[in-house]
mmCIF file of all heavy atoms in Angstrom:
data_model
loop_
_atom_site.group_PDB
_atom_site.id
_atom_site.type_symbol
_atom_site.label_atom_id
_atom_site.label_comp_id
_atom_site.label_asym_id
_atom_site.label_seq_id
_atom_site.Cartn_x
_atom_site.Cartn_y
_atom_site.Cartn_z
ATOM 1 N N TRP Q 1 99.380 108.651 110.497
ATOM 2 C CA TRP Q 1 99.070 108.198 109.088
ATOM 3 C C TRP Q 1 98.041 107.076 109.197
ATOM 4 O O TRP Q 1 98.295 106.008 109.850
ATOM 5 C CB TRP Q 1 100.317 107.705 108.378
ATOM 6 C CG TRP Q 1 100.012 107.088 107.069
ATOM 7 C CD1 TRP Q 1 99.108 107.570 106.065
ATOM 8 C CD2 TRP Q 1 100.540 105.898 106.482
ATOM 9 N NE1 TRP Q 1 99.098 106.750 105.061
ATOM 10 C CE2 TRP Q 1 99.903 105.637 105.226
ATOM 11 C CE3 TRP Q 1 101.393 104.954 107.063
ATOM 12 C CZ2 TRP Q 1 100.277 104.535 104.440
ATOM 13 C CZ3 TRP Q 1 101.701 103.890 106.250
ATOM 14 C CH2 TRP Q 1 101.150 103.608 105.012
ATOM 15 N N THR Q 2 96.949 107.190 108.500
ATOM 16 C CA THR Q 2 95.932 106.185 108.376
ATOM 17 C C THR Q 2 95.780 105.785 106.911
ATOM 18 O O THR Q 2 95.574 106.629 106.053
ATOM 19 C CB THR Q 2 94.564 106.740 108.963
ATOM 20 O OG1 THR Q 2 94.628 107.101 110.290
ATOM 21 C CG2 THR Q 2 93.540 105.627 108.890
ATOM 22 N N HIS Q 3 95.839 104.480 106.698
ATOM 23 C CA HIS Q 3 95.639 104.024 105.297
ATOM 24 C C HIS Q 3 94.453 103.045 105.338
ATOM 25 O O HIS Q 3 94.305 102.197 106.028
ATOM 26 C CB HIS Q 3 96.805 103.286 104.799
ATOM 27 C CG HIS Q 3 96.653 102.746 103.451
ATOM 28 N ND1 HIS Q 3 96.646 103.477 102.300
ATOM 29 C CD2 HIS Q 3 96.398 101.380 102.977
ATOM 30 C CE1 HIS Q 3 96.421 102.722 101.267
ATOM 31 N NE2 HIS Q 3 96.238 101.536 101.610
ATOM 32 N N PHE Q 4 93.554 103.321 104.322
ATOM 33 C CA PHE Q 4 92.411 102.494 104.018
ATOM 34 C C PHE Q 4 92.629 101.676 102.836
ATOM 35 O O PHE Q 4 93.017 102.220 101.824
ATOM 36 C CB PHE Q 4 91.179 103.400 103.881
ATOM 37 C CG PHE Q 4 90.748 104.159 105.103
ATOM 38 C CD1 PHE Q 4 91.196 105.505 105.215
ATOM 39 C CD2 PHE Q 4 90.002 103.624 106.173
ATOM 40 C CE1 PHE Q 4 90.818 106.302 106.330
ATOM 41 C CE2 PHE Q 4 89.728 104.432 107.236
ATOM 42 C CZ PHE Q 4 90.085 105.722 107.354
ATOM 43 N N GLY Q 5 92.431 100.414 102.938
ATOM 44 C CA GLY Q 5 92.494 99.449 101.790
ATOM 45 C C GLY Q 5 93.507 98.336 102.155
ATOM 46 O O GLY Q 5 94.375 98.453 102.953
ATOM 47 N N ASP Q 6 93.246 97.224 101.411
ATOM 48 C CA ASP Q 6 94.130 96.063 101.597
ATOM 49 C C ASP Q 6 94.567 95.464 100.257
ATOM 50 O O ASP Q 6 94.219 96.091 99.250
ATOM 51 C CB ASP Q 6 93.523 95.056 102.494
ATOM 52 C CG ASP Q 6 92.252 94.489 101.951
ATOM 53 O OD1 ASP Q 6 91.943 94.699 100.773
ATOM 54 O OD2 ASP Q 6 91.497 93.769 102.652
ATOM 55 N N GLY Q 7 95.127 94.395 100.244
ATOM 56 C CA GLY Q 7 95.607 93.747 99.002
ATOM 57 C C GLY Q 7 96.846 92.802 99.288
ATOM 58 O O GLY Q 7 97.166 92.570 100.448
ATOM 59 N N PRO Q 8 97.394 92.391 98.235
ATOM 60 C CA PRO Q 8 98.447 91.319 98.366
ATOM 61 C C PRO Q 8 99.731 91.775 99.117
ATOM 62 O O PRO Q 8 100.418 90.965 99.677
ATOM 63 C CB PRO Q 8 98.824 91.025 96.911
ATOM 64 C CG PRO Q 8 98.274 92.085 96.038
ATOM 65 C CD PRO Q 8 97.167 92.627 96.793
ATOM 66 N N LEU Q 9 99.925 93.088 99.166
ATOM 67 C CA LEU Q 9 101.146 93.599 99.909
ATOM 68 C C LEU Q 9 100.782 94.111 101.331
ATOM 69 O O LEU Q 9 101.585 94.727 101.984
ATOM 70 C CB LEU Q 9 101.791 94.667 99.087
ATOM 71 C CG LEU Q 9 102.312 94.325 97.667
ATOM 72 C CD1 LEU Q 9 102.958 95.580 97.038
ATOM 73 C CD2 LEU Q 9 103.305 93.199 97.745
ATOM 74 N N PHE Q 10 99.544 93.816 101.874
ATOM 75 C CA PHE Q 10 99.076 94.368 103.092
ATOM 76 C C PHE Q 10 99.959 93.897 104.242
ATOM 77 O O PHE Q 10 100.401 94.699 105.090
ATOM 78 C CB PHE Q 10 97.596 94.049 103.285
ATOM 79 C CG PHE Q 10 97.051 94.680 104.430
ATOM 80 C CD1 PHE Q 10 96.669 96.082 104.413
ATOM 81 C CD2 PHE Q 10 96.835 94.017 105.682
ATOM 82 C CE1 PHE Q 10 96.174 96.756 105.557
ATOM 83 C CE2 PHE Q 10 96.324 94.647 106.802
ATOM 84 C CZ PHE Q 10 95.977 96.006 106.671
ATOM 85 N N GLU Q 11 100.151 92.670 104.259
ATOM 86 C CA GLU Q 11 100.951 92.090 105.470
ATOM 87 C C GLU Q 11 102.392 92.625 105.515
ATOM 88 O O GLU Q 11 102.982 92.869 106.526
ATOM 89 C CB GLU Q 11 100.953 90.614 105.514
ATOM 90 C CG GLU Q 11 99.536 90.050 105.814
ATOM 91 C CD GLU Q 11 98.990 90.512 107.150
ATOM 92 O OE1 GLU Q 11 99.780 90.675 108.132
ATOM 93 O OE2 GLU Q 11 97.781 90.895 107.208
ATOM 94 N N GLU Q 12 103.038 92.699 104.337
ATOM 95 C CA GLU Q 12 104.341 93.294 104.182
ATOM 96 C C GLU Q 12 104.289 94.748 104.678
ATOM 97 O O GLU Q 12 105.226 95.221 105.403
ATOM 98 C CB GLU Q 12 104.881 93.193 102.804
ATOM 99 C CG GLU Q 12 106.195 93.839 102.559
ATOM 100 C CD GLU Q 12 107.297 93.209 103.397
ATOM 101 O OE1 GLU Q 12 107.214 92.082 103.836
ATOM 102 O OE2 GLU Q 12 108.342 93.890 103.587
ATOM 103 N N LEU Q 13 103.272 95.464 104.212
ATOM 104 C CA LEU Q 13 103.131 96.930 104.609
ATOM 105 C C LEU Q 13 102.940 96.920 106.195
ATOM 106 O O LEU Q 13 103.598 97.809 106.828
ATOM 107 C CB LEU Q 13 101.972 97.475 103.982
ATOM 108 C CG LEU Q 13 101.683 99.010 104.382
ATOM 109 C CD1 LEU Q 13 102.747 99.879 103.894
ATOM 110 C CD2 LEU Q 13 100.293 99.408 103.752
ATOM 111 N N ARG Q 14 102.183 95.972 106.742
ATOM 112 C CA ARG Q 14 102.010 95.988 108.189
ATOM 113 C C ARG Q 14 103.360 95.847 108.912
ATOM 114 O O ARG Q 14 103.642 96.578 109.897
ATOM 115 C CB ARG Q 14 101.074 94.900 108.609
ATOM 116 C CG ARG Q 14 100.699 94.959 110.062
ATOM 117 C CD ARG Q 14 99.941 93.639 110.512
ATOM 118 N NE ARG Q 14 98.699 93.417 109.826
ATOM 119 C CZ ARG Q 14 97.586 94.044 110.137
ATOM 120 N NH1 ARG Q 14 97.570 94.884 111.066
ATOM 121 N NH2 ARG Q 14 96.524 93.726 109.406
ATOM 122 N N ARG Q 15 104.201 94.990 108.443
ATOM 123 C CA ARG Q 15 105.510 94.726 109.092
ATOM 124 C C ARG Q 15 106.370 96.012 108.991
ATOM 125 O O ARG Q 15 107.034 96.358 109.941
ATOM 126 C CB ARG Q 15 106.162 93.483 108.399
ATOM 127 C CG ARG Q 15 105.580 92.163 108.851
ATOM 128 C CD ARG Q 15 106.460 90.998 108.414
ATOM 129 N NE ARG Q 15 106.466 90.850 106.885
ATOM 130 C CZ ARG Q 15 105.610 90.121 106.271
ATOM 131 N NH1 ARG Q 15 104.622 89.457 106.933
ATOM 132 N NH2 ARG Q 15 105.629 90.059 105.046
ATOM 133 N N GLN Q 16 106.342 96.584 107.810
ATOM 134 C CA GLN Q 16 107.150 97.718 107.637
ATOM 135 C C GLN Q 16 106.651 98.891 108.493
ATOM 136 O O GLN Q 16 107.459 99.626 109.121
ATOM 137 C CB GLN Q 16 107.057 98.224 106.204
ATOM 138 C CG GLN Q 16 107.743 97.223 105.181
ATOM 139 C CD GLN Q 16 107.577 97.612 103.782
ATOM 140 O OE1 GLN Q 16 106.830 98.608 103.414
ATOM 141 N NE2 GLN Q 16 108.260 96.986 102.800
ATOM 142 N N ALA Q 17 105.320 99.041 108.709
ATOM 143 C CA ALA Q 17 104.722 100.071 109.451
ATOM 144 C C ALA Q 17 105.056 99.987 110.886
ATOM 145 O O ALA Q 17 105.415 100.909 111.625
ATOM 146 C CB ALA Q 17 103.221 100.159 109.154
ATOM 147 N N GLU Q 18 104.910 98.680 111.367
ATOM 148 C CA GLU Q 18 105.100 98.450 112.762
ATOM 149 C C GLU Q 18 106.633 98.758 113.169
ATOM 150 O O GLU Q 18 106.876 99.353 114.161
ATOM 151 C CB GLU Q 18 104.842 96.989 113.141
ATOM 152 C CG GLU Q 18 103.336 96.678 113.222
ATOM 153 C CD GLU Q 18 103.074 95.234 113.385
ATOM 154 O OE1 GLU Q 18 104.091 94.412 113.337
ATOM 155 O OE2 GLU Q 18 101.899 94.839 113.529
ATOM 156 N N HIS Q 19 107.524 98.395 112.268
ATOM 157 C CA HIS Q 19 108.916 98.689 112.481
ATOM 158 C C HIS Q 19 109.172 100.174 112.457
ATOM 159 O O HIS Q 19 109.868 100.728 113.368
ATOM 160 C CB HIS Q 19 109.829 98.023 111.413
ATOM 161 C CG HIS Q 19 111.291 98.282 111.537
ATOM 162 N ND1 HIS Q 19 112.105 97.788 112.520
ATOM 163 C CD2 HIS Q 19 112.052 99.147 110.762
ATOM 164 C CE1 HIS Q 19 113.277 98.304 112.350
ATOM 165 N NE2 HIS Q 19 113.312 99.029 111.351
ATOM 166 N N ALA Q 20 108.595 100.865 111.476
ATOM 167 C CA ALA Q 20 108.884 102.207 111.323
ATOM 168 C C ALA Q 20 108.331 103.048 112.530
ATOM 169 O O ALA Q 20 108.956 104.029 113.111
ATOM 170 C CB ALA Q 20 108.193 102.816 110.072
ATOM 171 N N ALA Q 21 107.100 102.742 113.031
ATOM 172 C CA ALA Q 21 106.506 103.390 114.172
ATOM 173 C C ALA Q 21 107.308 103.154 115.383
ATOM 174 O O ALA Q 21 107.401 104.108 116.213
ATOM 175 C CB ALA Q 21 105.029 102.860 114.310
ATOM 176 N N SER Q 22 107.929 101.976 115.545
ATOM 177 C CA SER Q 22 108.625 101.692 116.739
ATOM 178 C C SER Q 22 110.049 102.440 116.723
ATOM 179 O O SER Q 22 110.549 102.723 117.855
ATOM 180 C CB SER Q 22 108.909 100.224 116.902
ATOM 181 O OG SER Q 22 109.721 99.715 115.895
ATOM 182 N N GLU Q 23 110.507 102.752 115.534
ATOM 183 C CA GLU Q 23 111.858 103.363 115.417
ATOM 184 C C GLU Q 23 111.719 104.888 115.243
ATOM 185 O O GLU Q 23 112.771 105.596 115.226
ATOM 186 C CB GLU Q 23 112.533 102.764 114.158
ATOM 187 C CG GLU Q 23 112.918 101.238 114.377
ATOM 188 C CD GLU Q 23 113.970 101.014 115.472
ATOM 189 O OE1 GLU Q 23 114.838 101.849 115.550
ATOM 190 O OE2 GLU Q 23 113.807 100.119 116.208
ATOM 191 N N THR Q 24 110.503 105.409 115.036
ATOM 192 C CA THR Q 24 110.414 106.849 114.679
ATOM 193 C C THR Q 24 109.541 107.621 115.695
ATOM 194 O O THR Q 24 108.312 107.473 115.716
ATOM 195 C CB THR Q 24 109.787 107.005 113.281
ATOM 196 O OG1 THR Q 24 110.488 106.103 112.406
ATOM 197 C CG2 THR Q 24 109.892 108.487 112.808
ATOM 198 N N PRO Q 25 110.112 108.377 116.621
ATOM 199 C CA PRO Q 25 109.352 109.187 117.526
ATOM 200 C C PRO Q 25 108.458 110.143 116.736
ATOM 201 O O PRO Q 25 108.841 110.700 115.721
ATOM 202 C CB PRO Q 25 110.389 109.973 118.291
ATOM 203 C CG PRO Q 25 111.692 109.211 118.147
ATOM 204 C CD PRO Q 25 111.594 108.517 116.795
ATOM 205 N N GLY Q 26 107.206 110.299 117.250
ATOM 206 C CA GLY Q 26 106.279 111.252 116.604
ATOM 207 C C GLY Q 26 105.424 110.636 115.444
ATOM 208 O O GLY Q 26 104.601 111.368 114.873
ATOM 209 N N LEU Q 27 105.655 109.310 115.210
ATOM 210 C CA LEU Q 27 104.867 108.671 114.101
ATOM 211 C C LEU Q 27 103.857 107.540 114.646
ATOM 212 O O LEU Q 27 104.392 106.711 115.437
ATOM 213 C CB LEU Q 27 105.918 108.015 113.176
ATOM 214 C CG LEU Q 27 105.160 107.116 111.983
ATOM 215 C CD1 LEU Q 27 104.341 108.010 111.109
ATOM 216 C CD2 LEU Q 27 106.206 106.372 111.249
ATOM 217 N N THR Q 28 102.644 107.791 114.320
ATOM 218 C CA THR Q 28 101.703 106.728 114.613
ATOM 219 C C THR Q 28 101.073 106.204 113.274
ATOM 220 O O THR Q 28 100.759 107.064 112.455
ATOM 221 C CB THR Q 28 100.512 107.288 115.552
ATOM 222 O OG1 THR Q 28 101.090 107.835 116.730
ATOM 223 C CG2 THR Q 28 99.488 106.206 115.876
ATOM 224 N N VAL Q 29 100.857 104.893 113.223
ATOM 225 C CA VAL Q 29 100.341 104.313 111.995
ATOM 226 C C VAL Q 29 99.122 103.482 112.298
ATOM 227 O O VAL Q 29 99.106 102.740 113.235
ATOM 228 C CB VAL Q 29 101.361 103.499 111.189
ATOM 229 C CG1 VAL Q 29 100.734 102.876 110.000
ATOM 230 C CG2 VAL Q 29 102.605 104.303 110.740
ATOM 231 N N GLN Q 30 98.014 103.767 111.581
ATOM 232 C CA GLN Q 30 96.918 102.954 111.539
ATOM 233 C C GLN Q 30 96.584 102.370 110.177
ATOM 234 O O GLN Q 30 96.274 103.142 109.270
ATOM 235 C CB GLN Q 30 95.684 103.659 112.069
ATOM 236 C CG GLN Q 30 94.357 102.741 112.153
ATOM 237 C CD GLN Q 30 93.189 103.450 112.529
ATOM 238 O OE1 GLN Q 30 92.999 104.618 112.268
ATOM 239 N NE2 GLN Q 30 92.200 102.816 113.150
ATOM 240 N N LEU Q 31 96.622 100.997 110.036
ATOM 241 C CA LEU Q 31 96.247 100.355 108.746
ATOM 242 C C LEU Q 31 94.854 99.844 108.981
ATOM 243 O O LEU Q 31 94.621 98.820 109.595
ATOM 244 C CB LEU Q 31 97.262 99.293 108.426
ATOM 245 C CG LEU Q 31 98.711 99.740 108.293
ATOM 246 C CD1 LEU Q 31 99.601 98.500 108.033
ATOM 247 C CD2 LEU Q 31 98.871 100.774 107.196
ATOM 248 N N ALA Q 32 93.908 100.613 108.395
ATOM 249 C CA ALA Q 32 92.454 100.281 108.652
ATOM 250 C C ALA Q 32 91.982 99.188 107.874
ATOM 251 O O ALA Q 32 90.877 98.644 108.050
ATOM 252 C CB ALA Q 32 91.633 101.569 108.486
ATOM 253 N N GLY Q 33 92.707 98.826 106.776
ATOM 254 C CA GLY Q 33 92.245 97.708 105.877
ATOM 255 C C GLY Q 33 91.069 98.230 105.058
ATOM 256 O O GLY Q 33 90.777 99.403 104.950
ATOM 257 N N ARG Q 34 90.375 97.230 104.432
ATOM 258 C CA ARG Q 34 89.296 97.584 103.584
ATOM 259 C C ARG Q 34 88.055 97.943 104.414
ATOM 260 O O ARG Q 34 87.680 97.285 105.398
ATOM 261 C CB ARG Q 34 88.972 96.319 102.699
ATOM 262 C CG ARG Q 34 87.823 96.605 101.696
ATOM 263 C CD ARG Q 34 87.444 95.334 100.956
ATOM 264 N NE ARG Q 34 88.681 94.812 100.186
ATOM 265 C CZ ARG Q 34 88.960 95.255 98.916
ATOM 266 N NH1 ARG Q 34 88.221 96.109 98.236
ATOM 267 N NH2 ARG Q 34 90.003 94.733 98.333
ATOM 268 N N VAL Q 35 87.473 99.023 104.068
ATOM 269 C CA VAL Q 35 86.170 99.486 104.699
ATOM 270 C C VAL Q 35 85.200 99.835 103.614
ATOM 271 O O VAL Q 35 85.492 100.105 102.491
ATOM 272 C CB VAL Q 35 86.452 100.713 105.576
ATOM 273 C CG1 VAL Q 35 87.464 100.377 106.745
ATOM 274 C CG2 VAL Q 35 86.954 101.956 104.780
ATOM 275 N N THR Q 36 83.905 99.943 104.081
ATOM 276 C CA THR Q 36 82.900 100.322 103.074
ATOM 277 C C THR Q 36 83.093 101.832 102.684
ATOM 278 O O THR Q 36 83.627 102.617 103.517
ATOM 279 C CB THR Q 36 81.532 100.111 103.689
ATOM 280 O OG1 THR Q 36 81.272 100.949 104.778
ATOM 281 C CG2 THR Q 36 81.335 98.680 104.027
ATOM 282 N N THR Q 37 82.478 102.215 101.655
ATOM 283 C CA THR Q 37 82.459 103.664 101.224
ATOM 284 C C THR Q 37 81.869 104.507 102.303
ATOM 285 O O THR Q 37 82.366 105.564 102.716
ATOM 286 C CB THR Q 37 81.810 103.844 99.915
ATOM 287 O OG1 THR Q 37 82.516 103.092 98.872
ATOM 288 C CG2 THR Q 37 81.872 105.335 99.584
ATOM 289 N N ALA Q 38 80.710 103.955 102.845
ATOM 290 C CA ALA Q 38 80.013 104.753 103.927
ATOM 291 C C ALA Q 38 80.911 104.966 105.177
ATOM 292 O O ALA Q 38 80.975 106.075 105.731
ATOM 293 C CB ALA Q 38 78.711 104.023 104.304
ATOM 294 N N THR Q 39 81.615 103.883 105.551
ATOM 295 C CA THR Q 39 82.568 103.963 106.697
ATOM 296 C C THR Q 39 83.595 105.049 106.412
ATOM 297 O O THR Q 39 83.984 105.858 107.255
ATOM 298 C CB THR Q 39 83.114 102.624 107.058
ATOM 299 O OG1 THR Q 39 81.980 101.785 107.376
ATOM 300 C CG2 THR Q 39 84.122 102.744 108.188
ATOM 301 N N LEU Q 40 84.237 104.968 105.206
ATOM 302 C CA LEU Q 40 85.311 105.886 104.851
ATOM 303 C C LEU Q 40 84.796 107.285 104.902
ATOM 304 O O LEU Q 40 85.454 108.189 105.508
ATOM 305 C CB LEU Q 40 85.750 105.505 103.413
ATOM 306 C CG LEU Q 40 86.874 106.440 102.929
ATOM 307 C CD1 LEU Q 40 88.216 106.161 103.737
ATOM 308 C CD2 LEU Q 40 87.103 106.208 101.425
ATOM 309 N N MET Q 41 83.626 107.554 104.288
ATOM 310 C CA MET Q 41 83.107 108.961 104.314
ATOM 311 C C MET Q 41 82.801 109.418 105.714
ATOM 312 O O MET Q 41 83.073 110.590 106.086
ATOM 313 C CB MET Q 41 81.805 108.986 103.406
ATOM 314 C CG MET Q 41 81.928 108.668 101.960
ATOM 315 S SD MET Q 41 82.951 109.787 101.043
ATOM 316 C CE MET Q 41 84.599 109.030 101.099
ATOM 317 N N GLU Q 42 82.410 108.571 106.516
ATOM 318 C CA GLU Q 42 82.095 108.951 107.949
ATOM 319 C C GLU Q 42 83.430 109.274 108.690
ATOM 320 O O GLU Q 42 83.491 110.233 109.518
ATOM 321 C CB GLU Q 42 81.299 107.890 108.660
ATOM 322 C CG GLU Q 42 80.909 108.228 110.109
ATOM 323 C CD GLU Q 42 80.001 109.415 110.217
ATOM 324 O OE1 GLU Q 42 79.530 109.927 109.227
ATOM 325 O OE2 GLU Q 42 79.820 109.921 111.419
ATOM 326 N N ARG Q 43 84.460 108.461 108.450
ATOM 327 C CA ARG Q 43 85.675 108.768 109.075
ATOM 328 C C ARG Q 43 86.245 110.116 108.661
ATOM 329 O O ARG Q 43 86.763 110.816 109.499
ATOM 330 C CB ARG Q 43 86.738 107.619 108.726
ATOM 331 C CG ARG Q 43 86.473 106.267 109.303
ATOM 332 C CD ARG Q 43 86.777 106.262 110.858
ATOM 333 N NE ARG Q 43 88.290 106.399 111.013
ATOM 334 C CZ ARG Q 43 89.118 105.437 111.016
ATOM 335 N NH1 ARG Q 43 88.757 104.102 110.859
ATOM 336 N NH2 ARG Q 43 90.445 105.627 111.335
ATOM 337 N N TYR Q 44 86.106 110.432 107.426
ATOM 338 C CA TYR Q 44 86.674 111.639 106.833
ATOM 339 C C TYR Q 44 85.850 112.789 107.524
ATOM 340 O O TYR Q 44 86.319 113.909 107.915
ATOM 341 C CB TYR Q 44 86.404 111.839 105.344
ATOM 342 C CG TYR Q 44 87.516 111.043 104.537
ATOM 343 C CD1 TYR Q 44 87.405 110.918 103.173
ATOM 344 C CD2 TYR Q 44 88.533 110.356 105.184
ATOM 345 C CE1 TYR Q 44 88.305 110.234 102.437
ATOM 346 C CE2 TYR Q 44 89.463 109.626 104.427
ATOM 347 C CZ TYR Q 44 89.359 109.613 103.060
ATOM 348 O OH TYR Q 44 90.318 108.909 102.309
ATOM 349 N N ARG Q 45 84.478 112.579 107.609
ATOM 350 C CA ARG Q 45 83.621 113.662 108.180
ATOM 351 C C ARG Q 45 83.940 114.000 109.626
ATOM 352 O O ARG Q 45 84.010 115.052 110.056
ATOM 353 C CB ARG Q 45 82.132 113.248 108.031
ATOM 354 C CG ARG Q 45 81.194 114.329 108.423
ATOM 355 C CD ARG Q 45 79.694 113.823 108.356
ATOM 356 N NE ARG Q 45 79.357 112.958 109.474
ATOM 357 C CZ ARG Q 45 78.891 113.416 110.622
ATOM 358 N NH1 ARG Q 45 78.704 114.731 110.774
ATOM 359 N NH2 ARG Q 45 78.654 112.555 111.677
ATOM 360 N N VAL Q 46 84.129 112.885 110.412
ATOM 361 C CA VAL Q 46 84.396 112.984 111.796
ATOM 362 C C VAL Q 46 85.834 113.428 112.150
ATOM 363 O O VAL Q 46 86.112 114.348 112.950
ATOM 364 C CB VAL Q 46 83.992 111.747 112.563
ATOM 365 C CG1 VAL Q 46 84.388 111.883 114.059
ATOM 366 C CG2 VAL Q 46 82.555 111.529 112.413
ATOM 367 N N GLU Q 47 86.843 112.813 111.444
ATOM 368 C CA GLU Q 47 88.202 113.049 111.786
ATOM 369 C C GLU Q 47 88.887 114.189 110.985
ATOM 370 O O GLU Q 47 89.860 114.709 111.457
ATOM 371 C CB GLU Q 47 88.944 111.726 111.663
ATOM 372 C CG GLU Q 47 88.413 110.545 112.445
ATOM 373 C CD GLU Q 47 89.098 109.170 112.093
ATOM 374 O OE1 GLU Q 47 90.128 109.215 111.261
ATOM 375 O OE2 GLU Q 47 88.630 108.198 112.620
ATOM 376 N N HIS Q 48 88.321 114.533 109.843
ATOM 377 C CA HIS Q 48 88.798 115.664 109.074
ATOM 378 C C HIS Q 48 90.252 115.614 108.881
ATOM 379 O O HIS Q 48 91.073 116.368 109.448
ATOM 380 C CB HIS Q 48 88.369 117.023 109.700
ATOM 381 C CG HIS Q 48 88.456 118.137 108.639
ATOM 382 N ND1 HIS Q 48 88.501 119.439 108.985
ATOM 383 C CD2 HIS Q 48 88.498 118.082 107.275
ATOM 384 C CE1 HIS Q 48 88.568 120.136 107.946
ATOM 385 N NE2 HIS Q 48 88.567 119.356 106.859
#
């Protein structure tokens, strides 16, 4: 799971995600934070 975007709940989400990933086999989490639209579009294009 990859999430793009940040905000006031980002650090709390990071803590929850780190805990969930460590406790759940088969789950990888990437919190990419805020990115430009161009970067987002390129990630979608390359990673599909």
